Amino acid sequence: MIPIAFLEYGLKDLLETLVIATMLYYLYRWIRGTFAIQAALGLVFIIVVNAVVSLLGFTTLNFMLRSVVDVGVLAVFIIFQPEIRKLLYSLGQNTSFDRLFGRSGSEGVVEEVIAAVKNMAQTKTGALIVFARSSSLQDLVDVGVRIDAQVNAQLIQTIFQKDTPLHDGAIVIRSGRIVAASCYLPISQNPNISSVFGTRHRAAVGVSETNNVFVVIVSEETGRISVAKNGGLTSGLSIQKLRAEMEKSLGEDKEEEMGFSAEKAELEMN
Ligand SMILES: Nc1ncnc2c1ncn2[C@@H]1O[C@H](COP(=O)(O)OP(=O)(O)OP(=O)(O)O)[C@@H](O)[C@H]1O
């Protein structure tokens, strides 16, 4: 034990401090760049003002602010609901055995998707392709149109062909198969997404905020290729860059660890 003023600080305390510091660091990384960080700053501001008011002895103001802080715990759960859901999702997913693809065949899937994306980008055919783990996104798949087909470039292009019944919404790929089309995804409320992106891109970011997914988007307006993961969006990818991103995020090495790269994609600001 090392005495620090009136405190006895031992090895156990040091360990506890390190655990708390690590938790806070990861919490910050989690919510960095999201709406939650602004809400967190707002809460911290109220707590600081409350402390100052209390020091100055303003009793009525102190009572009012304390009441606000008292309901803060409930507010935290409401404000951070998407982040908490994402945390619980990923904890559950990282302990489960399911994987993005079976051990074999993932390379073929990547090549088929790349071939489709290349053609759709050239012809400016809008597309939204979600790679999910084997038992995830069931609620979204259920409201889409069940397909259960091998991943094939021509099939993907046919699904996203304008004026066909299935072209609206997203396709979901799980365990190397297209499981559904016309899936409706949650739209991101992140205010940092540039206004040049419409609902297709916001839906891609939205589904990646609370699920461990990798999403490929082709813009109908510009033919631009983008990817979304971990609540971030990277836009204007070349086919080579897309292949690299897919291999990095869906590749077997990462798959061994956690299925997806934990690295956060940059949120497009322009
Ligand atoms: N919540 C959603 N889930 C799945 N797909 C969606 C969702 N919202 C919109 N889409 C798809 O996006 C299309 C509309 O795209 P919109 O033009 O609004 O977005 P965008 O990001 O500007 O895309 P683009 O660059 O292709 O125009 C819809 O026709 C539909 O296919």
Side-chain angles (χ1 to χ4, degrees):
M1 290 267 180
I2 305 162
I4 302 173
F6 58 89
L7 286 175
E8 291 289 330
Y9 197 82
L11 197 64
K12 217 171 84 183
D13 303 298
L14 177 70
L15 208 65
E16 201 173 354
T17 311
L18 284 176
V19 170
I20 293 170
T22 311
M23 277 166 59
L24 287 175
Y25 169 71
Y26 279 103
L27 187 71
Y28 169 71
R29 268 188 47 170
W30 221 302
I31 64 174
R32 188 180 51 181
T34 67
F35 162 74
I37 193 79
Q38 290 159 22
L41 288 176
L43 273 177
V44 170
F45 178 72
I46 293 175
I47 290 167
V48 170
V49 171
N50 188 34
V52 172
V53 160
S54 165
L55 275 176
L56 294 175
F58 296 155
T59 49
T60 312
L61 210 51
N62 182 225
F63 168 76
M64 286 165 70
L65 284 173
R66 239 196 5 244
S67 306
V68 174
V69 174
D70 282 349
V71 293
V73 177
L74 184 63
V76 161
F77 278 99
I78 295 169
I79 293 167
F80 294 94
Q81 187 240 352
E83 282 72 24
I84 293 169
R85 202 164 53 165
K86 183 179 170 186
L87 172 72
L88 295 176
Y89 259 121
S90 63
L91 283 178
Q93 284 173 341
N94 287 336
T95 53
S96 69
F97 295 108
D98 61 26
R99 287 286 182 260
L100 263 174
F101 301 116
R103 249 327 125 68
S104 59
S106 66
E107 234 172 65
V109 170
V110 168
E111 286 313 316
E112 292 293 328
V113 171
I114 285 176
V117 167
K118 191 175 173 189
N119 280 330
M120 292 189 293
Q122 278 163 1
T123 55
K124 292 191 180 169
T125 305
L128 196 48
I129 303 167
V130 182
F131 288 89
R133 284 168 177 264
S134 57
S135 58
S136 65
L137 295 195
Q138 196 52 43
D139 46 346
L140 300 183
V141 165
D142 284 343
V143 295
V145 176
R146 289 304 293 255
I147 289 187
D148 191 25
Q150 220 176 337
V151 177
N152 171 282
Q154 282 106 322
L155 178 59
I156 295 173
Q157 289 170 79
T158 307
I159 289 172
F160 288 114
Q161 209 51 242
K162 260 175 270 181
D163 305 322
T164 60
L166 295 185
H167 84 281
D168 252 342
I171 64 167
V172 175
I173 296 178
R174 286 193 318 209
S175 306
R177 293 184 75 77
I178 301 174
V179 288
S182 267
C183 297
Y184 182 82
L185 312 178
I187 306 263
S188 173
Q189 301 300 327
N190 189 336
N192 296 327
I193 301 174
S194 163
S195 58
V196 302
F197 297 112
T199 50
R200 195 190 312 272
H201 292 80
R202 283 166 193 274
V205 175
V207 73
S208 77
E209 282 171 350
T210 49
N211 298 280
N212 197 5
V213 294
F214 179 83
V215 191
V216 181
I217 313 115
V218 180
S219 165
E220 188 180 334
E221 219 173 290
T222 60
R224 192 158 50 178
I225 301 166
S226 309
V227 295
K229 63 178 177 180
N230 297 318
L233 182 72
T234 310
S235 195
L237 271 69
S238 64
I239 286 295
Q240 289 77 5
K241 194 83 201 345
L242 173 68
R243 179 176 280 112
E245 278 288 328
M246 289 181 82
E247 280 166 1
K248 191 167 81 177
S249 296
L250 310 175
E252 283 193 355
D253 289 349
K254 293 286 174 188
E255 191 187 323
E256 282 280 293
E257 294 166 31
M258 57 178 295
F260 293 96
S261 162
E263 182 190 318
K264 191 169 180 141
E266 287 298 312
L267 198 65
E268 282 290 314
M269 303 294 283
N270 47 39

